[in-house]
Amino acid sequence: MQSYLVIGLGRFGTQIALELSRLGMEVLAIDTNAELVQRVADEVTQAVVADGQDIGVLRALGAKNTDCGIVAIGDDLSASVLVTMNLKELGVPTVVCKARDETHRRVLEKLGADKVVIPEKEYAARLARSLASYNVLDYFQLGEGVGILELPVPGVWQGKTLKQVDVRAKYHVNIIAIRAGGKLNTFPSPDYPFEKSDVLVMIGDSDAFAAVQRL
């Protein structure tokens, strides 16, 4: 199971923390606002009132042991810069940051952020993808041409197992979860048989998604 540290629980940070938790990931969420922390406390692995600008606090919370740190403080440039520097100094393997504009993005990238997102632009791409594809339930862009897609299981896959369909080799996408019967099955077994009501959560590029949608 991968572990994530989410710093900043505004709308963006809260949504990221909750979605990662729903996908079965281990999530440590922190913010200086106790009310915001309380709102997610029952939904994530651990929620703590703490200041990510204090490297000692991050060290005490075990930030360096997480797989990915998400800096969701985008509205405060100085705070996001300091938190990003702290995470890089602690050796967090992947640091993802929220930026408010392109200038902010460039600053964070120069500090070594592995990925910087501007939520409004990301949402526009996500909405356009959903509107352009009638059967897409949800889409989240991870990078240039790469994203996570939620899609009803294609009819030709129904009744077959993951192994039989050989999704990765034939279609160049990875199924990271399956929504079935109201539950989320993360990293399903190769012997899992697809059912008509299943919703697939896949990661891949635009061309691969388009091929799956044509089935």
Side-chain angles (χ1 to χ4, degrees):
M1 179 189 300
Q2 290 189 309
S3 58
Y4 293 82
L5 168 62
V6 179
I7 303 173
L9 294 173
R11 284 181 296 179
F12 177 77
T14 294
Q15 188 65 28
I16 289 289
L18 295 178
E19 287 297 327
L20 286 169
S21 184
R22 290 178 187 131
L23 287 169
M25 304 302 166
E26 184 176 299
V27 178
L28 167 59
I30 73 172
D31 196 286
T32 55
N33 186 317
E35 183 179 349
L36 296 179
V37 170
Q38 187 58 39
R39 287 180 184 176
V40 303
D42 294 334
E43 305 294 332
V44 300
T45 309
Q46 185 180 9
V48 179
V49 178
D51 187 357
Q53 297 181 73
D54 187 333
I55 193 169
V57 168
L58 293 178
R59 185 178 288 111
L61 289 172
K64 68 177 182 179
N65 299 319
T66 59
D67 296 305
C68 177
I70 300 171
V71 183
I73 310 175
D75 294 335
D76 186 336
L77 176 59
S78 61
S80 67
V81 164
L82 183 53
V83 173
T84 300
M85 291 172 62
N86 287 342
L87 294 179
K88 296 302 292 186
E89 184 173 339
L90 288 172
V92 176
T94 303
V95 177
V96 178
C97 302
K98 172 191 173 185
R100 64 189 181 196
D101 53 37
E102 288 296 336
T103 299
H104 192 178
R105 182 205 291 270
R106 288 195 292 272
V107 170
L108 294 172
E109 288 177 340
K110 286 184 179 297
L111 290 173
D114 299 284
K115 178 173 176 58
V116 182
V117 299
I118 301 175
E120 291 77 9
K121 289 183 66 175
E122 301 290 337
Y123 177 75
R126 177 180 178 181
L127 178 60
R129 180 84 189 199
S130 297
L131 292 173
S133 306
Y134 74 93
N135 60 342
V136 169
L137 301 179
D138 203 357
Y139 178 76
F140 182 77
Q141 187 170 349
L142 296 176
E144 188 66 34
V146 178
I148 295 176
L149 183 77
E150 286 194 18
L151 190 76
V153 63
V156 294
W157 291 2
Q158 293 170 22
K160 297 180 181 178
T161 66
L162 265 171
K163 185 188 300 183
Q164 290 173 326
V165 174
D166 200 7
V167 175
R168 183 182 301 178
K170 293 181 179 178
Y171 302 97
H172 309 295
V173 297
N174 288 308
I175 295 177
I176 58 175
I178 297 175
R179 296 187 189 278
K183 296 182 179 180
L184 187 68
N185 178 4
T186 55
F187 302 105
S189 163
D191 297 319
Y192 177 88
F194 291 118
E195 297 184 5
K196 184 177 181 180
S197 59
D198 287 347
V199 172
L200 309 180
V201 183
M202 302 182 292
I203 185 168
D205 62 31
S206 300
D207 291 340
F209 286 153
V212 173
Q213 288 172 252
R214 288 194 294 267
L215 294 174

